[in-house]
Amino acid sequence: MTEARGTEEEKGKLRWWQLSLLGVASTIGTGYFLGSGIGIRMAGPSILIAFILAAAGTYTVFEVLARMTADRPEQGSFRSYAKRAFGRWAGFGSGWVYWCSELLIMGSQLTALSLFSRFWFPGMPMWIFAIGYAVLGLAVIFLGNRVFDSMENVLSVIKIAAILMFLIIAGAALMGWIPGGGGKPPAFPHTADTFFPAGYLGLWSGFIFAFYAFGGIEVMGMMAVRLREPKDAPKAGTVMLVVLSIVYLLSIGLTLTLISYKAVDPKRSPFITALGNYHLPFIPHVFNGVLIVAGFSTMVASLYAVTTMLVTLAKDKDAPRLFARKAWGKRPLYAIGLTAAGMAASVVLSFVMPGRIYEYITTAAGLLLLYNWFFILVTAGRLLKFSVFGQIKRWTGMALIVLAVIGSLFHSTSRPGFWGSLIFITVIGIVTLIMQFAVWKRRKIAGRRHGKPLVLRPKRTT
């Protein structure tokens, strides 16, 4: 009964537009402001096609997730739906794959935040910035949903304002109203050779990073349980994705008009690079501050997601029950503690491993996220009824995700991340098999012997 009341207290507080803002806060971050530069370097201007396809694929995932949420809101979101559709193994595997993906994403985000901060303090070790941002993020999560919601709403507005600022300044530069440009007149690459400088294989390789820029929509699914009207979840997601798609295409299109794709440095935001040739001494500093705000916002959203996921796993006995316990004002301290430990390991990994670690971690994190998105679409096929057009959309989304995953094999930057993601999947798969045959099955048999059948599914509460 206590858990039921706690869940009810979290429901019914968000309006659909607030969920849209939280979705913007969860999505626009380092994957867009920094990770898009990796895709641009791989594909050149043709990355715009990848963003259009990624937006379509992302929409198919969120649409089915929103429908499942509207039909039956669950705190564990897609993990709970996977468990209902296929059994305990699916919920266990899906939850832990997502937990690992978000930890890698947080490591990627902290690396990016440290890179942004060195724009002002080039001599400062990156690990100092990473620790500072991690502690601040954990503090926000510790303060609870109310502080989290308020902060994310404010930061989402700041991010939208910053992108609008970039669009206005870039538009003014394009019109010649701002001096500079390095002597090269702005021109959008409109021929086949300039639009596809790396060929179609380059476009295919960069596809994963276009998808990564939309990472965060699954966090909206987890927050949708707190809507006043769960049936508004599809509307909130549709508005958010339409706005994001337009903004992404305009901003990247303007960037590639102002500078050559070869000028983009994967370790520096392409938007700051685009403005660097113009006489705007203060704008790069303002925009860098916004990049830090954006990265911190998505990092906190990831912290919220992994903590919530760990609590729901613990409640279903798919993680030690310790992590479902609350203390100090009903805060899941143990879950927050494990998340902090995992984040610390991710940070250490990102700074100890040499070479292009940001690109590798970003690729692995994006792939693990896509594996979960693919399984969301598979789960929807079991739980929802689709029209013929609905089935076409669902299969199209699955095909786009598979294409993005395969494309990561064709470039030296993304290939190590692909193999890294397979290592995570293999380990989680082995653990799931052990739990299935050595733990859950044994408990079920023992329960039958004692005349007490084991209930694997969570009890419904009223």
Side-chain angles (χ1 to χ4, degrees), residues 24-34 109 112-113 116 133 151-152 154-160 162-163 248 269 286-302:
V24 169
S26 304
T27 306
I28 300 180
T30 57
Y32 164 64
F33 284 119
L34 187 61
Q109 289 163 341
L113 284 169
F116 293 153
Y133 290 124
M151 187 203 75
E152 292 291 284
V154 171
L155 296 186
S156 65
V157 172
I158 293 174
K159 286 191 279 190
I160 292 171
I163 294 172
Y248 282 3
S269 173
V286 172
F287 207 75
N288 192 67
V290 173
L291 298 184
I292 292 173
V293 166
F296 182 74
S297 173
T298 51
M299 185 201 73
V300 172
S302 295

Side-chain angles (χ1 to χ4, degrees), residues 13-269:
K13 293 185 179 181
L14 290 180
R15 298 180 186 273
W16 73 266
W17 59 268
Q18 290 175 309
L19 183 62
S20 290
L21 279 178
L22 287 171
V24 169
S26 304
T27 306
I28 300 180
T30 57
Y32 164 64
F33 284 119
L34 187 61
S36 60
I38 306 174
I40 291 172
R41 284 290 298 179
M42 285 184 178
S46 66
I47 194 67
L48 292 170
I49 296 175
F51 269 88
I52 294 172
L53 295 175
T58 303
Y59 177 77
T60 64
V61 175
F62 184 81
E63 183 183 39
V64 299
L65 185 56
R67 282 185 58 189
M68 290 189 288
T69 302
D71 288 347
R72 183 174 173 175
E74 295 271 6
Q75 190 179 20
S77 189
F78 53 87
R79 187 200 71 83
S80 299
Y81 303 136
K83 185 174 182 177
R84 269 207 300 139
F86 298 105
R88 188 167 186 173
W89 68 268
F92 180 90
S94 175
W96 283 109
V97 167
Y98 183 71
W99 193 81
C100 291
S101 72
E102 287 296 314
L103 275 184
L104 286 178
I105 286 171
M106 282 189 288
S108 170
Q109 289 163 341
L110 286 170
T111 302
L113 284 169
S114 302
L115 287 170
F116 293 153
S117 299
R118 292 188 76 178
F119 180 78
W120 292 321
F121 307 99
M124 189 76 73
M126 290 175 62
W127 62 267
I128 293 179
F129 294 118
I131 291 174
Y133 290 124
V135 170
L136 284 176
L138 290 167
V140 172
I141 296 300
F142 178 78
L143 291 174
N145 285 340
R146 184 173 298 179
V147 173
F148 170 79
D149 292 349
S150 300
M151 187 203 75
E152 292 291 284
N153 282 332
V154 171
L155 296 186
S156 65
V157 172
I158 293 174
K159 286 191 279 190
I160 292 171
I163 294 172
L164 290 175
M165 178 186 73
F166 172 80
L167 293 176
I168 292 170
I169 294 173
L174 186 62
M175 299 297 293
W177 298 341
I178 300 176
K184 174 184 174 294
F188 185 78
H190 56 279
T191 65
D193 289 340
T194 56
F195 193 75
F196 294 96
Y200 294 103
L201 199 60
L203 168 60
W204 195 358
S205 300
F207 196 6
I208 177 65
F209 297 101
F211 259 119
Y212 185 65
F214 288 95
I217 54 100
E218 71 290 335
V219 181
M220 281 188 73
M222 299 176 73
M223 293 177 185
V225 72
R226 294 163 48 206
L227 277 171
R228 291 186 180 184
E229 294 291 339
K231 292 182 180 180
D232 287 340
K235 177 167 63 175
T238 300
V239 170
M240 185 208 73
L241 284 172
V242 169
V243 170
L244 279 188
S245 301
I246 294 171
V247 165
Y248 282 3
L249 291 172
L250 281 175
S251 56
I252 293 175
L254 281 170
T255 296
L256 292 169
T257 302
L258 295 177
I259 60 173
S260 166
Y261 83 98
K262 294 180 180 179
V264 174
D265 181 356
K267 293 186 178 181
R268 190 181 185 206
S269 173

Side-chain angles (χ1 to χ4, degrees), residues 231-404:
K231 292 182 180 180
D232 287 340
K235 177 167 63 175
T238 300
V239 170
M240 185 208 73
L241 284 172
V242 169
V243 170
L244 279 188
S245 301
I246 294 171
V247 165
Y248 282 3
L249 291 172
L250 281 175
S251 56
I252 293 175
L254 281 170
T255 296
L256 292 169
T257 302
L258 295 177
I259 60 173
S260 166
Y261 83 98
K262 294 180 180 179
V264 174
D265 181 356
K267 293 186 178 181
R268 190 181 185 206
S269 173
F271 307 107
I272 289 183
T273 303
L275 298 177
N277 291 331
Y278 294 88
H279 302 309
L280 301 165
F282 65 95
I283 291 297
H285 293 275
V286 172
F287 207 75
N288 192 67
V290 173
L291 298 184
I292 292 173
V293 166
F296 182 74
S297 173
T298 51
M299 185 201 73
V300 172
S302 295
L303 274 170
Y304 172 90
V306 295
T307 303
T308 301
M309 183 59 69
L310 187 56
V311 170
T312 59
L313 283 165
K315 285 181 178 179
D316 277 356
K317 298 181 181 179
D318 287 337
R321 294 281 291 179
L322 174 72
F323 298 119
R325 293 181 188 173
K326 296 184 178 181
W328 285 15
K330 297 182 179 179
R331 303 289 189 267
L333 286 185
Y334 299 104
I336 293 174
L338 182 62
T339 300
M343 185 163 58
S346 181
V347 170
V348 170
L349 180 69
S350 64
F351 291 129
V352 168
M353 290 185 66
R356 305 162 79 174
I357 186 61
Y358 174 75
E359 291 94 328
Y360 300 159
I361 290 180
T362 300
T363 306
L367 287 169
L368 286 172
L369 199 60
L370 286 189
Y371 300 153
N372 244 315
W373 286 13
F374 185 88
F375 203 60
I376 289 172
L377 291 169
V378 173
T379 299
R382 177 68 68 91
L383 297 181
L384 299 176
K385 292 182 179 180
F386 290 94
S387 63
V388 174
F389 182 59
Q391 286 285 20
I392 291 173
K393 287 193 294 183
R394 187 173 76 91
W395 282 101
T396 300
M398 293 168 70
L400 289 172
I401 289 173
V402 170
L403 282 173

Side-chain angles (χ1 to χ4, degrees), residues 9 23-24 90 332 376 415 422 449:
E9 286 173 3
V24 169
I376 289 172
R415 197 177 300 119
L422 284 191
R449 286 176 180 171

